Amino acid sequence: MTPNEIIKILAAHERWLTRKPGGRPANLALQDLSGVNLRGANLQYAKLSGARLTKANLQGSNLSHCDLFAANLQKARLMNAVLVQADLRGARLTGANLTHANLEGADLREGALMSANQG
């Protein structure tokens, strides 16, 4: 997936969130987004199940109510990210930096948190 495609998806998602014409929810399921910079992105309710987000920069992103089922977030930067009620079942968070991330109500069942920084 190219950076331009990601920008278009995020723009349509923002229009969907604000109920503007031409909007649609972001569906990035099963996409390889390794190393992508999504710092500060608004991905509320986005579908990222099975996505590969290794070493992605999600710092300060809003991932509340996001479907991250079985996503690979190894070594992802999630500092100050909002993951309220996110579906993280089966997600791999090994080496992820979750410093000051808000995980209130997040479903972490069967996920791999080994060595995740939860400062």
Side-chain angles (χ1 to χ4, degrees), residues 14-87:
E14 188 64 34
R15 287 192 302 274
W16 176 76
L17 287 170
T18 57
R19 296 188 168 113
K20 292 183 180 169
R24 64 184 169 281
N27 185 349
L28 297 165
L30 302 174
Q31 295 297 316
D32 187 352
L33 302 169
S34 300
V36 72
N37 184 2
L38 294 171
R39 183 180 180 143
N42 187 354
L43 288 163
Q44 293 178 74
Y45 298 97
K47 185 168 179 69
L48 290 156
S49 54
R52 185 174 183 176
L53 291 153
T54 55
K55 297 183 181 178
N57 183 359
L58 294 157
Q59 185 173 351
S61 293
N62 187 344
L63 298 159
S64 60
H65 304 277
C66 203
D67 179 359
L68 289 155
F69 178 81
N72 186 342
L73 292 151
Q74 291 183 55
K75 298 183 180 178
R77 290 178 286 185
L78 291 156
M79 297 84 76
N80 299 306
V82 179
L83 292 144
V84 172
Q85 295 186 8
D87 182 357

Side-chain angles (χ1 to χ4, degrees), residues 93 95-101 103 108 112-119:
L93 291 154
N97 189 334
L98 294 161
T99 304
H100 302 295
L103 292 157
L108 293 158
L113 276 169
M114 295 173 281
S115 301
N117 180 354
Q118 301 167 37

